[in-house]
Amino acid sequence: MNDSITIEVIRHGLLAAAEEMARNLCRTAYNTVVYEIHDYGIGIHDAAGDVVADAPGIAVFTRGNDHGIKAAKEFVGVDAMLPGDVFLLNYPYWSSAHTLDPLVFAPIHVGGELIGFASCRVHVLDLKQKDPGYVLDSTDMYQEGLFFPATKLYREGEANEDIFNVIRFNSRLPERTIGDLQAQVSACVTGVRRTQAIAAKYGVPALTGAMDAINDHGERLARIALAKLTKGTWTAYDFVDSDGVDLDRMVKLNVTVTVTDEEMVIDWTGTDRDVRGPINLPVGQTAAFCSLVFKAVTTPDTPVVAGNFRPLRIVTEPGSVVHAVPPMPTFTLWTGLLGGEVVLKALAQGMPDRVPACSGGDVCSMMGLGINPRNGEQWLEATNEAVGFGGHAGDDGADGIMHLTEPGCRSNPVEVLETKSPMFIESYGYRPDTGGAGRHRGGVGVGRAYRFTAPATGICLVYKTKTKPWAIDGGHEGDNNHIILNPGTDREVVQGGSYNRLEAGEVLVNNTGGGGGYGDPLKRDPGRVATDVRNGFVSVGAAEREYGVVVDSSTFEIDEAATARLRKDAA
């Protein structure tokens, strides 16, 4: 049995290996979505497929990798997983994501013994889905691209050229797609080699024993935290704007969360079924975002390991929007972004001191594509946009940061977008008054305006525009997300998720939502309100209207007498 010091040294060695995998990926990827935004999930797993170390990117990816590896083991068989093999899996119902988020993973062998796996998932640009860029209105899986059910990209170290040729002749952007897949392979090979080096130094029994101990310790930490949570049962719901096909039908997510001494149960009974469009979730992704929330309220300060989630039980109904079954379409996975917020909404009823109000509730993606007149080549660039986070018992929500499902991600810089595409960023900044008022203010969202300098397609992936971010304990709702085409003209259109054909000179503005407020706004310290006005987060009018604080627009000084009158009248 390992001593605790050796276990800790091995644990940090595995974390360092995962981080090196991420560095290798970002150095070799072709796609700015990967190396700028960090749209990836990287893990090192034990022989069962349970993660023991990860490199933060998109949080739901890493837990989804566990699910995918286990499905692949069952499909392929462990005996067929040989040293030097590298697998490609993007069959959504197994891989836990849509076709353009393929999971690449490699078994780790030492002395012929399978001791674990290295995994890497990224967003690639094209695998023959019916529409370039993104699919918003598919009605079955066969419109969503090529499927690889745990297929060998490499066989015992040799490239499987048949598979690479299938991809090459079925992708609109073959060089970049294959380049990104090879970057995933490189990352996995790095993980395999570093894990083998740890085994060589400490011995296989020490390494596999440490992996077991890491997950057992993760479980103990989670159970200690679970024991401190308020016990009870709470139900909440919210709505996704539409499924992309039935545009007038909002899709209900209904959850009941039960916390006991032994477990947290997240039950999605009552969530909508028979959803025709592609917002249905593979069950592995549902498990992943539920795990993210559980992690946040139990063990937020330690790295992710599978043991953290042993006290979590998830209940879904096959055929519902949170448990897709073939041939249900799954391409637009935005349901998973809102799903975590709905779980928090339920928990807020029983433990408002432990969870924040709703954030902007979306990653507010904008993707542009077309032919670049500077070089005559196809271009495709995208970015996810920051939102405001909800106020909480401890303080205000953060202003303009990536959605809670993407803790390791960034937005694509202005300089990169303008260099690689015919887009000009006219403005980019915080949106005043978008954070919900409260004793603790919701964080504000951001706005970015794109002027297209050549004909292009602008794809907007925003699915929380019809409901506002909810608040806690008397706080006010935040402003919601929305897209504006050609603002201030007779062609102005306000919308959400959409596929837009744009001419040169047209403008698309991506406005993201603010977080909900926490507590009565009239109880907010007037000095903090004045500071918000000075910093541009709250306007003079909103300070008076929402907070009962009168602030001079030039000096930012508070009119104490007028403020006292306003607050007395409001009370």
Side-chain angles (χ1 to χ4, degrees):
M1 182 175 180
N2 291 342
D3 63 89
S4 58
I5 294 176
T6 301
I7 293 171
E8 190 68 357
V9 170
I10 290 174
R11 183 176 75 87
H12 280 276
L14 293 170
L15 287 169
E19 190 60 40
E20 185 178 348
M21 291 171 66
R23 293 288 182 267
N24 192 322
L25 174 72
C26 289
R27 284 197 300 268
T28 55
Y30 281 48
N31 180 359
T32 61
V33 169
V34 179
Y35 65 78
E36 291 288 355
I37 296 177
H38 292 180
D39 190 328
Y40 58 69
I42 285 173
I44 294 176
H45 311 251
D46 64 18
D50 289 323
V51 65
V52 294
D54 82 323
I58 292 185
V60 294
F61 275 5
T62 304
R63 280 294 288 158
N65 291 0
D66 285 24
H67 189 273
I69 290 171
K70 291 177 181 182
K73 285 178 61 182
E74 183 175 346
F75 178 68
V76 175
V78 172
D79 291 343
M81 294 180 168
L82 305 175
D85 285 351
V86 182
F87 290 86
L88 169 63
L89 170 62
N90 76 334
Y91 185 61
Y93 318 99
W94 298 351
S95 74
S96 311
H98 65 189
T99 51
L100 292 193
D101 290 338
L103 168 62
V104 172
F105 69 93
I108 304 171
H109 292 83
V110 177
E113 178 184 354
L114 176 67
I115 64 168
F117 298 88
S119 73
C120 177
R121 186 192 303 271
V122 308
H123 178 84
V124 299
L125 297 180
D126 197 281
L127 284 171
K128 206 184 179 181
Q129 69 281 2
K130 76 180 186 71
D131 300 315
Y134 229 84
V135 177
L136 306 187
D137 61 355
S138 50
T139 55
D140 67 50
M141 60 185 277
Y142 302 107
Q143 300 168 0
E144 298 185 341
L146 295 173
F147 298 108
F148 296 95
T151 303
K152 290 189 180 183
L153 273 178
Y154 281 76
R155 296 179 181 275
E156 297 183 80
E158 296 294 326
N160 186 347
E161 292 297 341
D162 289 342
I163 298 302
F164 281 108
N165 282 331
V166 168
I167 295 169
R168 185 172 290 110
F169 283 87
N170 285 278
S171 174
R172 299 173 181 90
L173 297 163
E175 180 182 15
R176 293 175 69 183
T177 297
I178 290 175
D180 287 338
L181 289 171
Q182 291 283 36
Q184 290 179 263
V185 172
S186 179
C188 289
V189 170
T190 297
V192 170
R193 290 173 177 170
R194 294 297 175 261
T195 306
Q196 289 172 334
I198 293 171
K201 184 172 184 178
Y202 296 97
V204 169
L207 173 56
T208 57
M211 288 177 168
D212 291 341
I214 288 166
N215 273 321
D216 289 345
H217 181 251
E219 178 184 5
R220 286 194 298 274
L221 292 177
R223 292 196 180 280
I224 291 169
L226 181 68
K228 298 176 183 178
L229 296 182
T230 303
K231 306 304 184 289
T233 298
W234 311 279
T235 297
Y237 63 88
D238 205 342
F239 295 90
V240 182
D241 283 356
S242 77
D243 67 356
V245 174
D246 297 320
L247 300 181
D248 295 328
R249 175 191 175 184
M250 296 174 68
V251 179
K252 184 179 182 180
L253 299 180
N254 189 85
V255 72
T256 298
V257 181
T258 299
V259 179
T260 71
D261 290 331
E262 299 299 322
E263 63 180 358
M264 179 183 288
V265 182
I266 300 178
D267 185 345
W268 292 98
T269 302
T271 289
D272 276 356
R273 304 175 59 86
D274 303 316
V275 175
R276 293 201 301 153
I279 66 166
N280 301 291
L281 293 182
V283 69
Q285 179 137 147
T286 298
F289 77 70
C290 291
S291 296
L292 171 63
V293 174
F294 182 77
K295 176 75 174 170
V297 298
T298 54
T299 56
D301 299 323
T302 59
V304 170
V305 297
N308 292 147
F309 311 110
R310 290 174 185 167
L312 173 63
R313 181 159 59 93
I314 300 159
V315 179
T316 59
E317 296 178 306
S320 70
V321 72
V322 294
H323 190 150
V325 295
M328 291 171 65
T330 62
F331 204 96
T332 311
L333 300 170
W334 263 237
T335 309
L337 308 177
L338 183 57
E341 306 272 12
V342 181
V343 177
L344 290 173
K345 188 177 183 180
L347 290 173
Q349 299 171 40
M351 49 189 84
D353 58 326
R354 297 189 68 99
V355 301
C358 188
S359 78
D362 205 314
V363 298
C364 301
S365 295
M366 202 294 292
M367 179 180 293
L369 57 99
I371 301 297
N372 194 331
R374 294 198 291 261
N375 55 23
E377 296 179 355
Q378 290 190 63
W379 67 275
L380 191 161
E381 295 297 333
T383 188
N384 296 343
E385 214 62 87
V387 296
F389 268 37
H392 52 91
D395 208 341
D396 296 344
D399 300 297
I401 62 173
M402 303 309 289
H403 186 258
L404 58 90
T405 56
E406 301 188 339
C409 293
R410 311 177 298 193
S411 61
N412 219 336
V414 170
E415 296 83 355
V416 171
L417 293 173
E418 292 185 340
T419 299
K420 291 182 172 290
S421 71
M423 293 190 294
F424 175 70
I425 310 304
E426 290 194 327
S427 63
Y428 186 26
Y430 289 131
R431 297 179 60 221
D433 297 337
T434 52
R439 179 167 61 88
H440 292 152
R441 174 179 59 78
V444 299
V446 304
R448 180 153 29 180
Y450 302 80
R451 181 176 294 275
F452 291 80
T453 59
T457 297
I459 305 174
C460 302
L461 295 157
V462 185
Y463 285 84
K464 185 177 173 58
T465 68
K466 297 179 181 179
T467 60
K468 291 193 173 185
W470 46 268
I472 295 178
D473 195 27
H476 295 181
E477 294 176 326
D479 188 30
N480 51 6
N481 312 288
H482 58 281
I483 302 294
I484 307 177
L485 294 182
N486 300 309
T489 73
D490 58 4
R491 296 172 295 149
E492 179 175 306
V493 177
V494 180
Q495 61 186 17
S498 54
Y499 208 95
N500 304 286
R501 306 291 185 181
L502 303 170
E503 296 300 323
E506 292 199 87
V507 175
L508 184 154
V509 181
N510 189 358
N511 285 326
T512 75
Y518 184 101
D520 184 354
L522 296 178
K523 294 182 180 178
R524 185 167 178 80
D525 177 3
R528 298 193 71 181
V529 177
T531 298
D532 285 339
V533 173
R534 179 189 292 272
N535 290 335
F537 295 133
V538 176
S539 67
V540 169
E544 183 173 335
R545 182 176 62 253
E546 304 285 344
Y547 294 97
V549 178
V550 179
V551 181
D552 185 279
S553 61
S554 299
T555 66
F556 304 109
E557 297 295 325
I558 299 170
D559 185 327
E560 303 283 358
T563 295
R565 286 195 302 272
L566 273 179
R567 290 196 158 189
K568 182 179 179 181
D569 291 345

